[in-house]
Amino acid sequence: MQVRNTANRFGALSIGIHWVVAVAVFGLFGLGYWMVDLSYYDDWYRTAPDIHRSIGILLFMVMLLRLVWRFVSPVPRPLPNHTRFEVVAARVAHLVLYVLVFVAMVSGYLISTADGSSISVFDWFEVPSVTGQIKGMEDTAGLVHYWTTWALVVLASLHGLAAIKHHLIDRDDTLRRMLGTDRRHH
């Protein structure tokens, strides 16, 4: 499999980034959902948020790479059996997914840096606060983060269900293309 996308197939880099982002989004959502109920005396009280923030920052970097890669290696054209509605719905859904991922990451960053502190990414490097101390910002950013992540997970789940529908009902290569196992070898 080649690294770059072609007119008919996703390349290895696009496929890899897609699945890394998918696992990270659902993993971060699960971790975030679990960690908000931890008590001060729980062993994971500090560790879970540190992991959540670190993966979130790394995901931000991967998403920036993904955006650049979309311009360097455009996505394959839609399959011929896709209706106009499916093509437009897929484009809109992808755009909204990108927006939700970035809003979730930026709002998460603002929650963590509202007091002026930086974020340590697995003790590898620090990401400084760009806002300094802003009273109440963590509450506003927290609400945005909460609703954005729920919207992201719901839309990503619908995205996955649409791929399964294409695979099981339409019996086309939509899902196979993102797995790198499509029947077309153009």
Side-chain angles (χ1 to χ4, degrees):
M1 175 185 299
Q2 60 188 31
V3 173
R4 292 177 66 101
N5 299 335
T6 68
N8 297 312
R9 298 188 72 176
F10 285 100
L13 188 58
S14 292
I15 292 170
I17 290 173
H18 174 272
W19 291 110
V20 165
V21 169
V23 168
V25 163
F26 282 97
L28 285 169
F29 182 82
L31 180 58
Y33 188 81
W34 171 74
M35 75 183 192
V36 295
D37 290 329
L38 295 174
S39 73
Y40 180 79
Y41 298 104
D42 194 298
D43 291 340
W44 283 91
Y45 181 76
R46 284 187 178 66
T47 305
D50 286 345
I51 292 169
H52 188 85
R53 286 186 291 263
S54 292
I55 293 172
I57 295 290
L58 295 176
L59 178 60
F60 183 79
M61 297 163 103
V62 169
M63 285 300 296
L64 291 176
L65 170 65
R66 187 176 194 175
L67 276 179
V68 169
W69 188 246
R70 276 186 77 109
F71 290 107
V72 171
S73 185
V75 298
R77 63 180 159 248
L79 292 174
N81 67 303
H82 289 178
T83 66
R84 173 119 176 96
F85 172 78
E86 289 171 325
V87 171
V88 171
R91 286 189 179 140
V92 169
H94 281 103
L95 176 64
V96 173
L97 283 168
Y98 273 79
V99 169
L100 290 172
V101 168
F102 279 107
V103 170
M105 291 184 294
V106 169
S107 60
Y109 167 81
L110 292 174
I111 293 166
S112 297
T113 60
D115 64 355
S117 62
S118 61
I119 297 173
S120 173
V121 179
F122 294 118
D123 290 327
W124 299 337
F125 60 94
E126 300 270 327
V127 178
S129 172
V130 295
T131 60
Q133 294 182 343
I134 298 179
K135 189 171 176 69
M137 184 172 65
E138 67 275 4
D139 294 332
T140 303
L143 276 173
V144 170
H145 192 70
Y146 177 84
W147 290 110
T148 301
T149 56
W150 271 104
L152 175 58
V153 166
V154 167
L155 184 56
S157 297
L158 291 173
H159 173 68
L161 288 173
I164 292 169
K165 174 253 185 203
H166 277 283
H167 188 73
L168 297 177
I169 296 172
D170 300 342
R171 299 203 180 280
D172 67 23
D173 279 342
T174 301
L175 179 60
R176 284 186 199 94
R177 288 203 309 182
M178 193 42 75
L179 293 171
T181 61
D182 58 313
R183 293 175 283 196
R184 295 179 180 92
H185 300 290
H186 305 286

